[in-house]
Amino acid sequence: MPDPTDPLAAPALMARAQDAVGKHAALLEPLARLFADRGETLYMVGGSVRDAMLGRGVHDLDFTTSARPEVIQEILTEWGEKVWDTGIEFGTVSAIRHGETVEITTFRSDLYDGVTRNPEVTFGDTLEGDLVRRDFACNAMAIELSLNDELRLSPTFHDPVDGLADLVQQVLDTPQEPEVSFRDDPLRMLRAARFVSQLGFTVADRVFAAMRDMAPEIGRITAERVQAELDKLMLGARPWEGIDLLVATGLAEHILPEIPALQLETDEHMQHKDVYRHSLTVLRQATELEDEGPDLKLRWAALMHDIGKPATRAPKEGGGVTFHHHEVVGAKMARKRLKALKYPKHVITDVGQLVFLHMRFHGFGEGQWTDSAVRRYVTDAGELLPKLHKLVRADSTTRNAKKAARLQRTYDHLEERIADIAAKEDLARVRPDLDGNEIMQILGLKPGPEVGKAWKYLKELRLERGELDHDEAVAELKAWWEKEHA
């Protein structure tokens, strides 16, 4: 990121953007010529320019143009290898060439009804009119793909709403009054939190105030669109800061009410750690433990692992509080919230299970993990075990350095026990020592509920005692059957 106090910061950012265009010159120069031949102007715009300036790499090539949609389509048909016109009614046509995708949209000057976020699409005639309707000034800069006398690319920078200054200062502000921008499209308030997470920016004071005052407007947005923005926020570099902005402005009350509810009041008789701040810390520490890129399920579990605490909070005799079974309550709450946000079933199930299991480790003291407990821990976690390891470690946030070190050592010991037992047994597939066919043959049963009960008994026996040889398993099954039917 640039140093905001450096007077050369702005020129350096502009140079980065020019370089990014130059790197794509072989692709973009023929495109610029085709537009120029039609008497039309073409501008790289939005996140493409912003990300180029920030050195984040330009992965999406987005453009705006004076050309109307049918002209864009004709040009791209000549230039590209494949063309998509699914967005043509909104002025957008896309194409791919040499593995690069471009998306080009006619200047827009949309009108909003203030009820939905769907505008009445109106095409504009000026670049300035198009840029001023965008969400944030740092996303409202443009680079014109102009040509010199030799018809070579000669990019020209346009910044009518002073987005470059915001980029240098790392602040999010709106081109228009934020109240106007957010009334047009309330989703922009979530986008502010998303960019805080992705870019590490802060929001301007007037943007914060508008988000706070207009938070109920987010109710105009569908759950699917909210989920899409939350995903981008949660997968950003600093998701805890994006969440904190949602809570501070009151937006979270409308889309994630369980999170601000963690801001429990404390008094001299019921002291406890700040559950809300603790949850943000766990989210941060979980991201630091990721070893294969951002993990959406781990991050959601880290944020929501304690949401059952407000509902289970109770005074403890002698002072303090308890949160008995908050992981059980929290798992149900997490599943309910994610379902309301239209998340796919596998996300709902896995996040709920991680929340449910996150306290299992704390139920055992140092050195008290029996082989049976280890098997159950691994079996219940299943494929989520690597995520559970990270979640539990991230949850060790005590300020007591000795206690924190002891917790980490204890978990190290648990992982060693898992590895030791896994080396002897196939923990990934803990199954009864006898299968259903053998159970039916030994007990003279036909398929039915009794076979399932017998299978479940042998599964529990397997978890408790480890692998049994065949004769021992048969004897245990027969003994159980006789007791059941005594």
Side-chain angles (χ1 to χ4, degrees):
M1 295 297 296
D3 178 357
T5 64
D6 183 356
L8 299 178
L13 293 179
M14 290 176 62
R16 279 185 184 174
Q18 299 275 11
D19 289 345
V21 173
K23 289 178 181 178
H24 291 86
L27 182 79
L28 300 180
E29 196 168 84
L31 186 62
R33 289 172 182 163
L34 290 172
F35 274 86
D37 289 345
R38 295 291 193 100
E40 307 287 1
T41 51
L42 180 66
Y43 305 83
M44 181 184 287
V45 74
S48 299
V49 177
R50 180 201 67 221
D51 287 346
M53 289 183 167
L54 294 177
R56 289 165 54 88
V58 180
H59 305 293
D60 300 310
L61 295 172
D62 294 328
F63 300 86
T64 189
T65 178
S66 58
R68 290 307 190 248
E70 60 276 10
V71 176
I72 301 173
Q73 187 175 33
E74 291 172 4
I75 291 173
L76 289 182
T77 299
E78 181 178 349
W79 174 85
E81 297 161 2
K82 184 177 180 181
V83 177
W84 297 271
D85 63 357
T86 51
I88 196 166
E89 64 178 305
F90 301 105
T92 300
V93 185
S94 303
I96 187 170
R97 172 168 164 158
H98 302 332
E100 294 275 8
T101 300
V102 301
E103 183 175 284
I104 306 178
T105 303
T106 301
F107 293 155
R108 298 265 292 268
S109 57
D110 301 336
L111 299 175
Y112 290 83
D113 59 14
V115 178
T116 69
R117 68 176 296 269
N118 301 317
E120 178 186 335
V121 177
T122 305
F123 299 132
D125 297 310
T126 66
L127 174 68
E128 291 73 15
D130 179 271
L131 295 180
V132 77
R133 56 167 284 279
R134 293 177 180 262
D135 54 3
F136 299 104
C138 65
N139 294 332
M141 298 176 286
I143 297 177
E144 183 176 359
L145 300 190
S146 47
L147 300 169
N148 59 23
D149 292 340
E150 287 77 35
L151 298 182
R152 303 306 299 270
L153 207 57
S154 181
T156 305
F157 182 63
H158 295 263
D159 186 19
V161 297
D162 214 14
L164 182 58
D166 284 359
L167 200 68
V168 172
Q169 295 298 322
Q170 300 168 34
V171 65
L172 293 166
D173 202 353
T174 51
Q176 306 177 77
E177 290 296 316
E179 292 81 4
V180 174
S181 181
F182 297 157
R183 188 171 295 109
D184 283 349
D185 186 359
L187 190 67
R188 289 170 175 170
M189 295 187 287
L190 286 191
R191 286 170 64 83
R194 187 243 288 191
F195 288 130
V196 165
S197 170
Q198 291 180 326
L199 305 176
F201 284 19
T202 58
V203 295
D205 290 344
R206 68 173 191 160
V207 170
F208 182 94
M211 291 172 68
R212 180 193 60 214
D213 295 343
M214 301 180 68
E217 294 288 317
I218 200 65
R220 290 160 47 193
I221 306 301
T222 65
E224 290 84 356
R225 296 304 301 268
V226 170
Q227 182 223 110
E229 284 300 320
L230 286 176
D231 271 358
K232 295 172 184 176
L233 184 160
M234 290 296 287
L235 293 171
R238 306 176 71 83
W240 55 94
E241 292 186 357
I243 292 294
D244 200 28
L245 179 61
L246 293 181
V247 172
T249 56
L251 276 161
E253 293 281 357
H254 301 275
I255 57 175
L256 285 173
E258 298 82 2
I259 305 306
L262 294 172
Q263 297 175 304
L264 301 175
E265 295 181 4
T266 61
D267 58 57
E268 60 181 342
H269 304 295
M270 298 179 68
Q271 290 293 327
H272 59 82
K273 71 171 69 176
D274 183 333
V275 183
Y276 170 67
R277 288 293 160 192
H278 162 76
S279 297
L280 294 187
T281 299
V282 173
L283 174 57
R284 175 179 58 78
Q285 294 184 166
T287 66
E288 293 169 353
L289 291 172
E290 292 170 340
D291 47 18
E292 295 183 359
D295 186 329
L296 184 66
K297 293 177 182 178
L298 172 63
R299 293 184 178 198
W300 271 119
L303 178 63
M304 305 179 88
H305 76 286
D306 275 348
I307 60 173
K309 280 191 170 180
T312 57
R313 183 183 188 221
K316 186 166 57 177
E317 188 175 345
V321 294
T322 62
F323 302 100
H324 291 311
H325 305 302
H326 74 271
E327 70 279 12
V328 179
V329 173
K332 292 179 180 178
M333 293 172 65
R335 289 192 290 267
K336 183 178 179 180
R337 176 53 51 197
L338 294 175
K339 184 177 180 181
L341 288 168
K342 307 295 185 182
Y343 272 92
K345 186 176 181 180
H346 67 93
V347 175
I348 297 171
T349 300
D350 289 354
V351 172
Q353 184 69 350
L354 286 168
V355 172
F356 177 73
L357 292 173
H358 86 274
M359 287 297 293
R360 184 76 63 85
F361 163 72
H362 298 283
F364 296 86
E366 291 186 64
Q368 294 180 2
W369 282 83
T370 63
D371 287 356
S372 172
V374 173
R375 292 188 196 99
R376 291 180 186 278
Y377 192 77
V378 173
T379 301
D380 289 347
E383 294 180 354
L384 295 174
L385 186 61
K387 298 182 194 295
L388 183 59
H389 287 333
K390 295 181 178 70
L391 176 59
V392 174
R393 289 187 181 278
D395 193 26
S396 300
T397 63
T398 176
R399 296 178 183 177
N400 185 319
K402 289 185 178 179
K403 182 179 178 181
R406 185 172 69 251
L407 285 170
Q408 294 295 347
R409 285 197 304 271
T410 303
Y411 206 84
D412 289 342
H413 179 60
L414 171 59
E415 290 203 61
E416 291 169 3
R417 292 287 307 283
I418 291 172
D420 288 343
I421 296 176
K424 303 172 186 175
E425 309 173 20
D426 184 5
L427 286 185
R429 297 184 62 185
V430 174
R431 300 179 63 80
D433 296 287
L434 303 173
D435 63 23
N437 290 328
E438 290 175 299
I439 290 171
M440 288 187 289
Q441 183 178 2
I442 293 165
L443 299 180
L445 297 175
K446 293 182 178 180
E450 294 285 4
V451 180
K453 288 175 62 178
W455 190 94
K456 185 176 180 181
Y457 166 74
L458 290 175
K459 172 71 175 292
E460 290 296 313
L461 194 66
R462 171 72 171 78
L463 288 169
E464 187 67 32
R465 290 169 47 181
E467 291 181 280
L468 306 178
D469 63 40
H470 185 270
D471 291 344
E472 187 177 6
V474 171
E476 290 287 352
L477 175 63
K478 289 180 176 178
W480 169 81
W481 181 255
E482 291 177 5
K483 184 177 179 180
E484 284 286 301
H485 294 83

